[in-house]
Amino acid sequence: MSVVTSGRYTFPSYNLVFFIFLQLGLHSVEGVWPLPQSITSSPERYPLNPQAFYFTYGSQSAAQEGCSVLDEAFKRYFSLIFPDYSSGYGFLRFSVDKPFTVQVSVGRDDCDSYPDEDSSEQYTLSVSAGQASLKAETVWGALRGLETFSQLVYQEDFGSYYVNKTEIKDFPRFQFRGILLDTSRHYLPVQAILKTLDAMAFSKFNVFHWHIVDDPSFPYQSRTFPDLSAKGAFHPMTHIYTQSDVGRVISFARMRGIRVLPEFDSPGHTQSWGKGQSDLLTPCYSGSSPSGTFGPVNPILPSTYKFMATLFKEVSSVFPDSYIHLGGDEVNFSCWKSNPDVRAFMLKMGFGADFTKLEAYYMENIVNITVALNRTSIVWQDVFDYHERHTSLSVVEVWREGCYLCEVRRVVKAGLRVILASPWYLDQPGPTHNWARYYTVWPLAFKGTEEQKKLVIGGEVCMWGEYVDATNLTPRLWPRASAAAERLWSDEKQTSDVDKAFPRLQDFRCELLRRGIQAEPLFVGHCKHEYQGV
Amino acid sequence: MSVVTSGRYTFPSYNLVFFIFLQLGLHSVEGVWPLPQSITSSPERYPLNPQAFYFTYGSQSAAQEGCSVLDEAFKRYFSLIFPDYSSGRFYNQWSFVDKPFTVQVSVGRDDCDSYPDEDSSEQYTLSVSAGQASLKAETVWGALRGDYSICKIYLKSTDFPRFQFRGILLDTSRHYLPVQAILKTLDAMAFSKFNVFHWHIVDDPSFPYQSRTFPDLSAKGAFHPMTHIYTQSDVGRVISFARMRGIRVLPEFDSPGHTQSWGKGQSDLLTPCYSGSSPSGTFGPVNPILPSTYKFMATLFKEVSSVFPDSYIHLGGDEVNFSCWKSNPDVRAFMLKMGFGADFTKLEAYYMENIVNITVALNRTSIVWQDVFDYHERIPKDTVLHIWKGLPASYAAELSAITKAGYRVLLAAPWYINHISYGQDWRNYYTVQPLNFSGTEEQKKLVIGGEVCMWGEYVDATNLTPRLWPRASAAAERLWSDEKQTSDVDKAFPRLQDFRCELLRRGIQAEPLFVGHCKHEYQGV
């Protein structure tokens, strides 16, 4: 067993700490995770005193006091920067109580909007004596800059805080950096979702992909079809997401610059839908009579599309994001095959015995519903694979194992946008699926033109729920998801070395603990502040 | 994806719960985990009202009020049986169900102030009838085992453990575990009737045990000399908390390998490694050739045996790397002098023999990892060997060989629960057959039990609990229950799902076995 000291602070003596820091500059800015695109820092540093520390709006800023997103972020980041202060610890007063001001300026007053696919997240941050200047086009960029600033601040054993002179220009490599949570295989209490959103912001993730329903349960409480959760949830009262729960999640996410992308996966993965909506699923046959079991959504009935149109109309009014995820994965054809009405429909439509054509027909109808609602649809790669005409598709999520970059290449060659999930199935645990595996993913390492590569809009960490619920979600996600976060945010050339990343990620994991996130260890070692939530 | 509903309680309304219970008998005895040796139940049900529910001592009981272990257990189990009541929720008083219900506990021996030990009986009988339950046990430790089962409702049960030693190892060296995390684990251990906490307290990465006699060991060898140590009062708190739950605390001070952290606070203890003819500046295992080593060890183990009351001490002895010893000219000279030739296993054996003798002099039984048996010709007969290596075929062979030599043995190899994989690996822990090796009846009696190991390379307080529970509970049933009655994994699955929901209800962050839900999901986020 080899020994690795992972502690961020390893000084045996308290007395000399100041001098050692000053001389060695141990707290380098490389502590920021994910790594900014461009960063220069100096050993020159400035003390921060929580009693003389302020966030303000720059005089030229389009957003001013009253901007909900930034007003709340200022409060939040104050507590993150000075955790002892807000937890009520007594603070020593140093003579160094020169004020320090972080001045935030944004180019647009988008305080009341939602982050969207085109939202700029770039920012510049300049830290100098007595002040820091944070400039961004949008409030979402300002949020990313505040996160970075909070990670630049460090505390010494005496309890005092410092920040080094630093210049940062930063922007994300990919526009879409998501985490999927599965609330159907296990119900996740709203609090667990909010906690995840909090931690996502610390790693600059910007999309919460809410795989909200699936075969095992339908926890979304629909306004138009209340029976779906009343009969399809694990429990109709305690294991559902009410409209106000959903609203709370969307609002909490917005405050952190995170989009909420809802997925209503069909025609497969819909067993729970059938409990509250009769005639929606295909009756399976055993020989010439119905077996009593049901398969995927029934694609041959007009009532199906009427139901779906109504449901998605509701969904698009509840979820403000311009994307809707339509699923479309893993459709099992055996039930369709068994059903004589479906077979008759196949003949009538000229599909022969090719059930992928029936699936494509179904998905095209569903995609058209969302187009009419002015939404961009995302589908799992299966739909692309089975679909001859790609004109109606827009974004394809690649999830299958194997040569996933081959699939990415096929999709971009067809002119469609891609989200990559295959290499980031974090529900897989264990040493074979450690952070380094998720770090050493090269999403653009395929042959293609610059234009084609631009079609890769991002990637996503998937936390499927077969074996995951609120008891183990957080340690399974963090800090491994942060490895993917750096791949999706940072410059690949600057972040290709696993060994260089390791101590930075260890530091970042300690910071997550400090912020109350139950992030598991990477290896033997310790953090100054261990997890105390036991 | 198949759908499994794991919720134990599926009633939408509180008001009718008792009646539904009475009528449907949904709470069958199969909810008890680990399964009792013998149990008879009937669909007849008795209502329990927290405002008229009492634990009392039987008039013939050797222990009476004032017995610390049982007095505390009564309070603890009241809250476990009526979680809503103690959490301050309003309880309806039903006029028709407020007949009192009394659990009368009788024990044959007043061992309230002692510690559970290797010979402590844990058997109990429990019979439930209208208005009362009678729990009888030889010892208070047996009474504790019975208490848990009272939460379920059935008629009569006679129960005792299959194996006397049912342990969990926590590693507090590779990561420091806050005392609170250890106490939480002890609580959960009692729910699965584990009875030994094997405290792998020090190892290469850190030395968190604050020694009275050698304070520098933690001052210099812990991750942090103030925040990442176990003080004497921390250790005392752990031992006392464990005792209240009938759990022994078995300390391990592993040597001569796995001791890098010891060297930081105790100079000349570790072997200086050589590069060619000069010291390289690095250190290897404990230096076995110096008299000062054995003097130090004797003093340390004297302290350990005064701090830890258990009659066992774990001496480690695993994974000794010989390369440093080989490089050191003084060690080589000693080998020649002792006639060991070039066989460094003999040097290791020499070292271990000295250490075992130290603990024998302290009147302690030593446990050592199997390496010591593998390398050793002479070990005192009452030493316990701890098997940690290999697949079923190889540990079965080791079981056979060690018991044939007449030693007692403890099996850990199949329960390295720090290893995780995708899917339901609890099944592997459940289907272990500890006595499936060739040997006589006498040999099989030498298998004193088993142990779940949670090594700490990738585990600390953030992920300890979900990694341990409910997977460790699978091993617990293997070690407590009759193997024939518990050989069917599929029959065990719904019971273990129920038990996992019960753990959540009790505030234990136990991870799910598969798709599904519990009535009370984990709320500690």
Side-chain angles (χ1 to χ4, degrees):
Chain A
M1 226 61 65
S2 69
V3 183
V4 177
T5 55
S6 67
R8 187 209 279 258
Y9 312 87
T10 51
F11 308 104
S13 146
Y14 275 78
N15 295 338
L16 293 172
V17 168
F18 274 112
F19 300 104
I20 294 170
F21 269 138
L22 281 167
Q23 284 164 19
L24 304 183
L26 272 175
H27 259 277
S28 72
V29 287
E30 274 138 41
V32 180
W33 189 282
L35 191 70
Q37 299 286 343
S38 147
I39 182 165
T40 50
S41 68
S42 90
E44 191 180 333
R45 64 181 199 162
Y46 316 108
L48 302 183
N49 178 351
Q51 284 165 341
F53 180 91
Y54 308 97
F55 288 107
T56 63
Y57 292 88
S59 56
Q60 303 299 313
S61 172
Q64 292 291 338
E65 265 172 45
C67 172
S68 57
V69 172
L70 292 180
D71 280 1
E72 282 209 16
F74 292 169
K75 277 167 98 172
R76 213 163 58 236
Y77 278 102
F78 184 90
S79 302
L80 291 171
I81 292 169
F82 304 111
D84 296 343
Y85 189 77
S86 19
S87 69
Y89 272 69
F91 241 83
L92 294 174
R93 268 257 186 187
F94 300 104
S95 52
V96 288
D97 52 5
K98 283 183 213 147
F100 191 98
T101 306
V102 179
Q103 201 175 71
V104 179
S105 303
V106 296
R108 213 163 45 229
D109 176 5
D110 40 9
C111 301
D112 296 323
S113 70
Y114 289 89
D116 213 330
E117 50 177 324
D118 302 320
S119 300
S120 158
E121 290 172 290
Q122 69 162 71
Y123 67 91
T124 62
L125 177 63
S126 162
V127 181
S128 52
Q131 67 165 355
S133 166
L134 170 60
K135 290 182 180 159
E137 279 178 41
T138 67
V139 294
W140 321 118
L143 289 177
R144 304 296 168 246
L146 287 169
E147 175 56 41
T148 297
F149 179 80
S150 76
Q151 292 187 26
L152 291 176
V153 178
Y154 54 94
Q155 185 182 24
E156 293 188 338
D157 283 351
F158 276 134
S160 44
Y161 293 91
Y162 291 89
V163 64
N164 284 50
K165 183 175 170 62
T166 308
E167 296 286 334
I168 290 175
K169 275 192 185 13
D170 201 10
F171 53 87
R173 180 183 181 201
F174 292 107
Q175 160 215 108
F176 186 111
R177 305 177 308 281
I179 287 190
L180 174 150
L181 295 184
D182 170 0
T183 58
S184 173
R185 293 184 175 84
H186 285 98
Y187 176 80
L188 295 173
V190 172
Q191 192 52 40
I193 296 175
L194 302 185
K195 191 94 179 177
T196 302
L197 289 167
D198 240 341
M200 283 172 68
F202 302 154
S203 289
K204 298 190 170 75
F205 279 103
N206 69 348
V207 181
F208 165 39
H209 174 171
W210 196 347
H211 187 86
I212 192 165
V213 299
D214 202 301
D215 283 330
S217 75
F218 196 106
Y220 172 75
Q221 189 176 45
S222 163
R223 289 195 291 240
T224 31
F225 302 103
D227 271 358
L228 288 170
S229 65
K231 297 183 177 167
F234 284 133
H235 187 283
M237 296 303 293
T238 60
H239 286 62
I240 59 168
Y241 301 105
T242 63
Q243 290 292 318
S244 72
D245 288 337
V246 172
R248 212 169 134 217
V249 167
I250 292 169
S251 153
F252 195 92
R254 185 183 87 87
M255 286 299 175
R256 285 149 186 81
I258 297 171
R259 300 158 54 189
V260 178
L261 164 67
E263 176 179 356
F264 285 80
D265 190 354
S266 75
H269 290 284
T270 49
Q271 287 295 302
S272 68
W273 303 41
K275 294 184 185 167
Q277 184 69 14
S278 55
D279 301 329
L280 178 65
L281 303 186
T282 310
C284 312
Y285 275 64
S286 172
S288 60
S289 52
S291 68
T293 62
F294 295 88
V297 166
N298 194 332
I300 69 168
L301 300 180
S303 61
T304 291
Y305 300 102
K306 204 176 149 201
F307 165 82
M308 287 293 182
T310 313
L311 180 67
F312 278 111
K313 190 174 174 195
E314 172 183 332
V315 168
S316 70
S317 74
V318 171
F319 293 88
D321 202 74
S322 63
Y323 284 22
I324 290 183
H325 203 304
L326 301 177
D329 58 320
E330 298 185 303
V331 183
N332 185 331
F333 295 142
S334 59
C335 182
W336 281 351
K337 280 180 190 165
S338 77
N339 185 302
D341 298 332
V342 172
R343 288 200 305 267
F345 184 81
M346 294 278 290
L347 281 181
K348 186 182 123 198
M349 297 297 285
F351 295 160
D354 183 356
F355 283 86
T356 65
K357 288 193 172 143
L358 181 57
E359 182 184 347
Y361 164 84
Y362 172 83
M363 287 310 297
E364 196 164 318
N365 276 288
I366 302 298
V367 168
N368 287 339
I369 287 171
T370 55
V371 168
L373 292 165
N374 204 18
R375 288 293 192 273
T376 302
S377 56
I378 308 186
V379 291
W380 295 106
Q381 72 177 83
D382 314 40
V383 179
F384 173 81
D385 296 345
Y386 290 155
H387 220 276
E388 284 160 14
R389 294 177 308 155
H390 296 132
T391 46
S392 59
L393 300 182
S394 29
V395 184
V396 175
E397 182 160 7
V398 173
W399 67 277
R400 288 192 186 273
E401 288 180 289
C403 183
Y404 52 79
L405 289 181
C406 305
E407 179 77 2
V408 168
R409 192 163 170 233
R410 282 191 288 273
V411 176
V412 296
K413 271 178 130 174
L416 303 179
R417 283 170 285 171
V418 170
I419 295 165
L420 181 60
S422 309
W424 291 303
Y425 265 41
L426 260 70
D427 52 324
Q428 299 279 344
T432 51
H433 292 74
N434 61 13
W435 72 274
R437 178 191 181 113
Y438 302 119
Y439 195 72
T440 51
V441 171
W442 322 115
L444 299 185
F446 61 88
K447 268 191 196 161
T449 63
E450 278 309 298
E451 283 312 302
Q452 285 172 351
K453 300 210 171 176
K454 278 187 191 147
L455 290 172
V456 179
I457 61 172
E460 190 170 87
V461 165
C462 292
M463 184 57 77
W464 296 104
E466 279 85 349
Y467 302 100
V468 175
D469 72 1
T471 61
N472 56 358
L473 170 65
T474 307
R476 200 169 284 206
L477 251 189
W478 311 106
R480 296 187 307 153
S482 306
E486 180 151 294
R487 181 58 53 242
L488 293 169
W489 178 280
S490 308
D491 179 61
E492 196 171 283
K493 277 193 202 119
Q494 294 178 56
T495 56
S496 55
D497 186 332
V498 174
D499 294 329
K500 273 171 74 178
F502 181 62
R504 289 175 50 238
L505 187 55
Q506 281 197 311
D507 280 0
F508 181 65
R509 182 251 167 182
C510 288
E511 180 61 27
L512 290 177
L513 288 194
R514 182 74 190 260
R515 296 179 179 198
I517 304 298
Q518 196 175 349
E520 68 176 16
L522 297 171
F523 194 53
V524 174
H526 80 293
C527 294
K528 185 178 178 186
H529 300 277
E530 299 289 356
Y531 181 68
Q532 295 297 337
V534 183
Chain B
M1 225 59 64
S2 70
V3 184
V4 176
T5 57
S6 68
R8 184 213 281 259
Y9 312 87
T10 50
F11 310 106
S13 144
Y14 270 80
N15 294 338
L16 293 171
V17 168
F18 276 112
F19 297 105
I20 294 171
F21 270 158
L22 282 165
Q23 285 164 18
L24 304 184
L26 273 175
H27 261 278
S28 73
V29 289
E30 273 132 45
V32 184
W33 190 282
L35 193 71
Q37 299 286 343
S38 140
I39 191 162
T40 48
S41 66
S42 97
E44 200 175 333
R45 302 274 149 176
Y46 309 107
L48 302 183
N49 177 349
Q51 283 165 342
F53 181 92
Y54 310 96
F55 286 106
T56 63
Y57 292 88
S59 56
Q60 304 299 314
S61 171
Q64 292 291 338
E65 265 172 45
C67 173
S68 56
V69 172
L70 292 180
D71 280 2
E72 282 208 16
F74 292 169
K75 277 166 98 173
R76 212 164 57 235
Y77 278 99
F78 185 90
S79 301
L80 291 173
I81 295 168
F82 304 108
D84 296 342
Y85 190 78
S86 22
S87 70
R89 275 202 212 182
F90 176 69
Y91 244 83
N92 286 329
Q93 270 255 24
W94 294 294
S95 53
F96 39 88
V97 291
D98 56 4
K99 284 185 210 143
F101 189 98
T102 306
V103 180
Q104 202 175 69
V105 179
S106 302
V107 295
R109 213 164 44 229
D110 176 5
D111 40 10
C112 301
D113 296 323
S114 71
Y115 289 89
D117 212 332
E118 51 177 323
D119 303 319
S120 300
S121 158
E122 290 172 291
Q123 71 162 69
Y124 66 91
T125 61
L126 178 63
S127 56
V128 181
S129 52
Q132 68 165 352
S134 165
L135 170 62
K136 291 182 178 156
E138 280 178 40
T139 67
V140 293
W141 320 119
L144 289 177
R145 301 296 167 248
D147 274 351
Y148 163 65
S149 309
I150 285 172
C151 308
K152 327 289 170 180
I153 300 168
Y154 52 85
L155 276 185
K156 193 161 178 52
S157 155
T158 305
D159 201 9
F160 52 87
R162 179 184 183 200
F163 292 106
Q164 161 214 108
F165 188 113
R166 306 177 307 283
I168 287 189
L169 174 150
L170 295 185
D171 170 0
T172 57
S173 172
R174 292 183 176 83
H175 285 99
Y176 176 81
L177 295 173
V179 172
Q180 192 51 42
I182 297 175
L183 301 186
K184 191 93 181 178
T185 302
L186 289 167
D187 239 342
M189 282 171 68
F191 302 154
S192 288
K193 297 191 171 75
F194 279 104
N195 69 347
V196 181
F197 164 40
H198 174 174
W199 196 346
H200 187 86
I201 193 167
V202 298
D203 202 302
D204 283 329
S206 75
F207 196 106
Y209 173 75
Q210 190 176 47
S211 164
R212 288 195 292 241
T213 30
F214 302 103
D216 271 358
L217 287 171
S218 64
K220 296 184 180 167
F223 283 133
H224 187 283
M226 297 303 294
T227 60
H228 286 64
I229 59 167
Y230 301 105
T231 63
Q232 289 292 319
S233 71
D234 288 336
V235 172
R237 209 167 138 220
V238 167
I239 292 169
S240 154
F241 195 93
R243 186 182 87 86
M244 286 299 174
R245 285 150 186 81
I247 297 171
R248 300 158 55 190
V249 178
L250 165 66
E252 176 179 356
F253 286 80
D254 189 353
S255 74
H258 290 284
T259 48
Q260 287 294 304
S261 69
W262 303 41
K264 293 184 186 166
Q266 184 69 14
S267 55
D268 300 329
L269 177 65
L270 303 186
T271 310
C273 313
Y274 276 63
S275 171
S277 60
S278 52
S280 70
T282 63
F283 294 88
V286 166
N287 194 333
I289 69 168
L290 301 179
S292 61
T293 290
Y294 301 102
K295 204 177 151 201
F296 166 82
M297 287 292 182
T299 314
L300 179 67
F301 278 111
K302 191 175 173 193
E303 172 182 332
V304 168
S305 71
S306 74
V307 171
F308 293 88
D310 202 73
S311 64
Y312 284 23
I313 290 183
H314 204 302
L315 302 177
D318 57 319
E319 298 186 302
V320 183
N321 184 331
F322 296 141
S323 59
C324 181
W325 281 350
K326 280 182 191 166
S327 77
N328 183 303
D330 299 332
V331 173
R332 288 200 306 267
F334 184 81
M335 294 278 289
L336 280 183
K337 187 183 125 199
M338 298 296 286
F340 294 161
D343 184 356
F344 282 87
T345 66
K346 289 197 169 137
L347 180 59
E348 179 183 351
Y350 165 84
Y351 172 83
M352 287 309 296
E353 196 168 319
N354 276 287
I355 302 297
V356 168
N357 286 340
I358 287 170
T359 55
V360 167
L362 292 164
N363 205 19
R364 288 294 192 272
T365 302
S366 45
I367 307 190
V368 291
W369 297 106
Q370 72 182 90
D371 314 42
V372 178
F373 174 82
D374 298 346
Y375 291 153
H376 209 286
E377 289 139 25
R378 300 172 306 171
I379 331 174
K381 272 295 176 209
D382 70 338
T383 304
V384 179
L385 278 303
H386 200 162
I387 297 184
W388 66 277
K389 289 184 198 176
L391 297 167
S394 68
Y395 69 69
E398 188 84 2
L399 280 165
S400 195
I402 293 176
T403 55
K404 198 169 180 190
Y407 293 102
R408 283 176 294 171
V409 66
L410 185 60
L411 183 62
W415 291 303
Y416 264 40
I417 211 159
N418 52 302
H419 295 161
I420 48 175
S421 57
Y422 190 75
Q424 297 195 36
D425 57 2
W426 71 273
R427 291 167 183 262
N428 304 332
Y429 303 124
Y430 194 73
T431 52
V432 172
Q433 296 177 301
L435 299 185
N436 188 14
F437 63 90
S438 65
T440 63
E441 276 310 298
E442 284 311 301
Q443 275 178 261
K444 305 220 163 163
K445 278 187 191 148
L446 291 171
V447 180
I448 62 171
E451 190 173 88
V452 167
C453 293
M454 183 60 84
W455 296 106
E457 280 84 350
Y458 301 101
V459 175
D460 72 2
T462 62
N463 55 359
L464 170 66
T465 306
R467 197 172 284 209
L468 199 47
W469 310 107
R471 299 192 309 148
S473 304
E477 180 151 295
R478 182 56 51 241
L479 294 169
W480 177 280
S481 306
D482 180 62
E483 195 171 290
K484 277 193 202 118
Q485 293 179 55
T486 56
S487 55
D488 186 332
V489 182
D490 295 327
K491 271 171 75 179
F493 180 64
R495 289 174 49 239
L496 187 55
Q497 281 197 310
D498 280 0
F499 181 68
R500 182 250 167 182
C501 288
E502 179 63 26
L503 290 177
L504 288 194
R505 184 73 190 258
R506 295 178 177 200
I508 304 298
Q509 194 176 350
E511 69 176 17
L513 296 168
F514 194 54
V515 174
H517 80 293
C518 294
K519 184 180 176 188
H520 300 278
E521 299 290 357
Y522 180 67
Q523 295 297 335
V525 183

